[in-house]
Amino acid sequence: TGHAMQMDETTVQVMGEEHRPDTAKSYMWLGRGGPPNKPVVIYEYHPGRNASYITDFISGFSGFLQTDGYQSYETALAKHKLTHPEDKIIHVGCLAHARRKFFEASKANKKSKSPLQALSFIKKIYQAEDNLRKQNLENETFLAKRKETVLPLFENFKIWLDKKQTQIPPSLIMGKAVNYTLNQWPFLIAYLDCVELTADNNKAEQSIKPFVMGRKNWMFSGSPAGAKSSCF
């Protein structure tokens, strides 16, 4: 049980799957949720990245679901809403993924100030969030103060992004970063209403990191049964 859940997925190469070449990509899916002081992490192996696997994972869940910007999450949630209207799920995005895109833009064009300005906006959001966490406030007080201090930082960032969108071609790396962030905007600010969540999906990524680190060791010795057993 829990009011919030995070999801992520990573590739796993598995040999010996029926009707699939050994070079085909399979995926390890992860769900992290439960009580904030005792989080639970569930792993599921699937042979693909289809939205149907997401639908199965979130069946029966109500609350805030935080993911990266992979489109299939939104596709699955839209379909799930039609078939399971009783499950009230609010989709939350990941600010860290937006930050990475601006970081990549700063590396691609070291003379441009725009990527650094975007990173500065994001840094202020993280700093404000961190300062609030350190105060150990009651939940309702925390949410109210978050709206007072963090939301205006997001709003200033949004004004800046809207202006940059009119100035930077969408074909450039910086333009892509701006458009990605604006497209994700409703999801990026949705976490503000959930005490359990922060601005990013990093805890889920950290939980799936062992599979990322172990891919090279497993790719030659894996099997569908072995991949599934590694979830436990």
Side-chain angles (χ1 to χ4, degrees):
T1 61
H3 191 53
M5 181 168 69
Q6 297 174 313
M7 284 190 69
D8 198 11
E9 81 287 338
T10 190
T11 56
V12 177
Q13 190 169 342
V14 177
M15 300 179 68
E17 291 186 286
E18 190 174 0
H19 305 307
R20 299 185 78 214
D22 290 341
T23 55
K25 286 184 180 179
S26 297
Y27 285 83
M28 190 64 70
W29 293 81
L30 170 148
R32 184 184 186 277
N37 59 332
K38 292 184 179 180
V40 176
V41 180
I42 298 174
Y43 298 92
E44 284 189 5
Y45 165 79
H46 290 291
R49 208 182 182 195
N50 193 286
S52 63
Y53 302 130
I54 302 170
T55 305
D56 293 340
F57 217 116
I58 62 178
S59 179
F61 172 75
S62 292
F64 292 81
L65 177 66
Q66 188 171 40
T67 74
D68 58 25
Y70 179 43
Q71 180 58 39
S72 284
Y73 285 110
E74 186 61 17
T75 300
L77 285 170
K79 186 179 297 184
H80 189 77
K81 185 177 181 180
L82 294 175
T83 56
H84 296 80
E86 71 280 4
D87 294 342
K88 306 297 182 182
I89 300 177
I90 299 171
H91 193 191
V92 181
C94 176
L95 187 60
H97 280 76
R99 180 174 58 183
R100 287 174 202 167
K101 294 185 181 297
F102 289 114
F103 181 77
E104 290 169 1
S106 72
K107 294 298 181 183
N109 187 351
K110 295 182 179 181
K111 294 182 179 180
S112 175
K113 294 181 180 179
S114 292
L116 298 180
Q117 290 173 336
L119 292 171
S120 178
F121 277 110
I122 295 172
K123 182 179 180 179
K124 289 177 182 177
I125 291 170
Y126 274 101
Q127 287 176 334
E129 180 78 21
D130 187 53
N131 290 337
L132 280 177
R133 291 284 176 187
K134 290 177 180 177
Q135 296 178 37
N136 295 316
L137 303 169
E138 294 293 329
N139 288 352
E140 289 187 8
T141 304
F142 174 81
L143 289 176
K145 287 208 168 189
R146 183 192 251 175
K147 291 289 182 68
E148 292 174 5
T149 58
V150 181
L151 182 57
L153 297 175
F154 270 103
E155 291 173 340
N156 290 337
F157 188 26
K158 176 71 161 52
I159 293 171
W160 182 87
L161 288 168
D162 286 335
K163 183 177 180 180
K164 289 298 176 182
Q165 190 180 41
T166 66
Q167 299 173 341
I168 302 174
S171 58
L172 297 181
I173 295 179
M174 183 59 189
K176 291 177 181 178
V178 168
N179 287 328
Y180 173 87
T181 306
L182 287 174
N183 289 336
Q184 286 288 304
W185 197 258
F187 312 121
L188 294 179
I189 63 174
Y191 89 95
L192 294 170
D193 291 315
C194 182
V195 173
E196 293 98 319
L197 293 179
T198 61
D200 58 51
N201 202 33
N202 285 353
K203 288 183 179 179
E205 288 196 358
Q206 291 165 6
S207 297
I208 209 167
K209 188 169 289 186
F211 290 97
V212 177
M213 300 294 290
R215 274 195 292 241
K216 289 185 178 180
N217 295 327
W218 302 335
M219 64 184 295
F220 297 113
S221 59
S223 66
K228 291 177 180 178
S229 66
S230 68
C231 300
F232 301 99

